[in-house]
Amino acid sequence: EVVRQVISQQTSQRAADILEQGKKLVIFARFTAELRDIEDTLRSLIGPDGVRLIDGSVPGPARGQAVEDFQKKPEVRAFIAQIQTAGLGITLTAADTAIYYSLDYSYANYEQSRARIHRIGQKNTCTYLHLLVEGSVDEDIMTALQFKGNVADIVVNRWRELLKK
């Protein structure tokens, strides 16, 4: 619990820093309780109309509206997304920064979520911030995702090198 409080404080500070620069922000998390805590924090920072959230409980049409609001309305500055739910088929290029509050072990979910802000139409360099505590499960998950990324790179991009050996 103490670790999560520290991570919540880090999230608040990082989010505040990014929002103070006039940027929009996407935050990904795994669990609904985390999403709600992040939502409460961001609503206190930028107001109740400045935040949109997508998780498994949000119906399809409302998801589309949340994305459209984030993309088109200047007052909507933060988008909070459950990584499993919002990882596919949406464009969030109004932001160039994503914070990962928590992750799951799925490399596909991770890469798809990264692609939400790094898509055609993005004019800026994308930044991804991972909130990790040394020795935590989140650190283990990030290590596993990096390993899976290396394996995917070998299989997809460097398979010819393997066959030559």
Side-chain angles (χ1 to χ4, degrees):
E1 184 60 34
V2 172
V3 170
R4 281 290 164 210
Q5 288 175 350
V6 169
I7 292 174
S8 292
Q9 289 171 349
Q10 288 180 353
T11 303
S12 297
Q13 186 57 53
R14 299 265 187 199
D17 292 345
I18 292 162
L19 294 168
E20 283 176 12
Q21 296 173 24
K23 292 183 166 193
K24 290 190 175 199
L25 172 67
V26 176
I27 299 178
F28 289 104
R30 182 176 180 187
F31 300 106
T32 55
E34 296 170 340
L35 295 166
R36 299 295 176 240
D37 288 344
I38 295 165
E39 181 182 31
D40 291 344
T41 299
L42 289 175
R43 287 187 189 282
S44 70
L45 280 173
I46 58 177
D49 294 331
V51 179
R52 296 296 183 270
L53 181 140
I54 290 180
D55 67 6
S57 69
V58 176
R63 291 179 190 186
Q65 188 62 56
V67 170
E68 185 175 336
D69 289 352
F70 182 73
Q71 287 291 100
K72 295 182 178 176
K73 294 183 176 182
E75 67 273 15
V76 179
R77 312 234 352 260
F79 192 91
I80 308 160
Q82 188 172 36
I83 195 166
Q84 304 91 321
T85 304
L88 287 170
I90 64 173
T91 298
L92 301 172
T93 54
D96 60 18
T97 303
I99 294 176
Y100 286 90
Y101 185 87
S102 59
L103 295 162
D104 64 17
Y105 280 100
S106 170
Y107 183 72
N109 284 348
Y110 177 64
E111 281 302 309
Q112 284 296 319
S113 68
R114 287 173 48 97
R116 298 312 94 211
I117 67 171
H118 189 259
R119 297 177 72 77
I120 292 173
Q122 179 57 266
K123 296 174 178 85
N124 301 311
T125 301
C126 295
T127 302
Y128 305 95
L129 304 171
H130 299 83
L131 302 178
L132 301 173
V133 174
E134 189 174 331
S136 69
V137 171
D138 291 326
E139 186 181 45
D140 293 342
I141 292 171
M142 192 71 220
T143 300
L145 291 174
Q146 288 170 334
F147 176 77
K148 290 176 181 184
N150 292 338
V151 170
D153 179 56
I154 290 168
V155 171
V156 174
N157 299 319
R158 298 180 15 221
W159 59 273
R160 286 184 184 94
E161 294 173 27
L162 292 175
L163 294 177
K164 290 179 185 177
K165 293 182 180 182

